[in-house]
Amino acid sequence: EIVLWLAIFSSSGITQMGGFTKEYYMGYYIWAAFITRITQNWMYEYRMIEEIASGTVNALMLRPTSFFEYYFSQYMGYKLLIIFTSLLIPFAASHILDYPVSFSRTMVALSLIIYYLLFSYLISFIIATMAFHLTRVHSFTMAKNLTLFLFTGELIPLDLIVEPFRSFFLQLPFAAAVYLPVSYITGRIDMATFSHGFYTVTIGNLILAPIAYVFWIKGKEAYVGTGA
């Protein structure tokens, strides 16, 4: 994406787009590349699908912790490790290249990212439970990742999308994955817009949590113990 936007600014001869200069876009995409790595969840989603499809989920069902808790603890531990290691690179790059990044906003932005991780995991858990009933569930993971490429603001900042689609995207919890934290760090949005992300993610979690529970219960009822 960085090369793409460099080419857009160089070939068009413009100095601003959407009210922001090239430096704002470079800062945005440097941070977006690393934050996307944090908020995406395909590795553990694949693992959960394989556990159910192969029948090895039997062993996990006998443990004191639930299947949900077992993978959620691994997932959060891995993501927190990524946060405190990989973000050193955009920190250094933004400082060296003098991109318009507010480092004082980083910790607040990270709080939304961490909160969003529960929402992301719930989506993955729901998709994984489909393996109780369906084969080739991995195709849903690929479709989800392609959809989130646009909905999260990874492809383009959501404020560049024309109305009414821009308002629609900003009202979805997916904006909290990339656009809201990155835009807040780079100064594209104010605190009020950023804080709205906590509201949308909360609503998303409240909707997905009972769905995940029902899917898991229904999946176990259909499960025969030899693999889905």
Side-chain angles (χ1 to χ4, degrees), residues 14 49 90 102 128 201-202 222:
I14 60 177
I49 291 171
S102 177
V201 173
T202 299

Side-chain angles (χ1 to χ4, degrees), residues 45 127 137-149:
E45 188 172 314
I127 292 175
V137 179
H138 298 95
S139 60
F140 289 103
T141 299
M142 292 185 285
K144 178 204 70 176
N145 291 341
L146 289 173
T147 302
L148 293 183
F149 187 52

Side-chain angles (χ1 to χ4, degrees), residues 18-194:
F20 298 97
T21 63
K22 178 178 68 176
E23 287 71 25
Y24 276 93
Y25 286 90
M26 296 305 100
Y28 180 94
Y29 280 105
I30 284 178
W31 279 88
F34 288 90
I35 289 181
T36 297
R37 184 185 176 193
I38 296 170
T39 55
Q40 276 187 343
N41 180 30
W42 58 267
M43 182 175 68
Y44 285 97
E45 188 172 314
Y46 267 59
R47 289 184 181 180
M48 289 189 289
I49 291 171
E50 287 301 318
E51 291 274 9
I52 295 173
S54 65
T56 54
V57 68
N58 288 338
L60 295 177
M61 288 181 176
L62 298 176
R63 297 186 180 186
T65 58
S66 66
F67 183 77
F68 181 94
E69 294 168 337
Y70 176 77
Y71 273 104
F72 183 64
S73 60
Q74 293 186 52
Y75 166 78
M76 288 302 296
Y78 174 73
K79 293 298 184 180
L80 291 174
L81 178 63
I82 294 297
I83 287 175
F84 292 112
T85 54
S86 66
L87 289 184
L88 294 175
I89 298 177
F91 262 116
S94 300
H95 178 72
I96 294 171
L97 299 174
D98 195 27
Y99 288 148
V101 171
S102 177
F103 296 104
S104 62
R105 295 184 171 193
T106 306
M107 295 307 297
V108 179
L110 287 178
S111 65
L112 178 59
I113 293 170
I114 294 172
Y115 189 43
Y116 175 84
L117 290 178
L118 173 59
F119 178 78
S120 177
Y121 180 78
L122 285 170
I123 295 176
S124 294
F125 185 81
I126 290 170
I127 292 175
T129 58
M130 294 179 183
F132 282 120
H133 309 279
L134 305 172
T135 59
R136 302 185 183 279
V137 179
H138 298 95
S139 60
F140 289 103
T141 299
M142 292 185 285
K144 178 204 70 176
N145 291 341
L146 289 173
T147 302
L148 293 183
F149 187 52
L150 173 63
F151 277 48
T152 61
E154 180 187 358
L155 177 61
I156 59 171
L158 298 181
D159 51 46
L160 293 182
I161 300 175
V162 298
E163 292 288 5
F165 302 106
R166 175 171 58 192
S167 296
F168 171 73
F169 283 132
L170 290 176
Q171 292 301 317
L172 298 176
F174 307 112
V178 178
Y179 174 75
L180 290 178
V182 174
S183 295
Y184 185 65
I185 292 172
T186 56
R188 294 178 73 97
I189 60 175
D190 56 19
M191 174 58 86
T193 304
F194 169 78

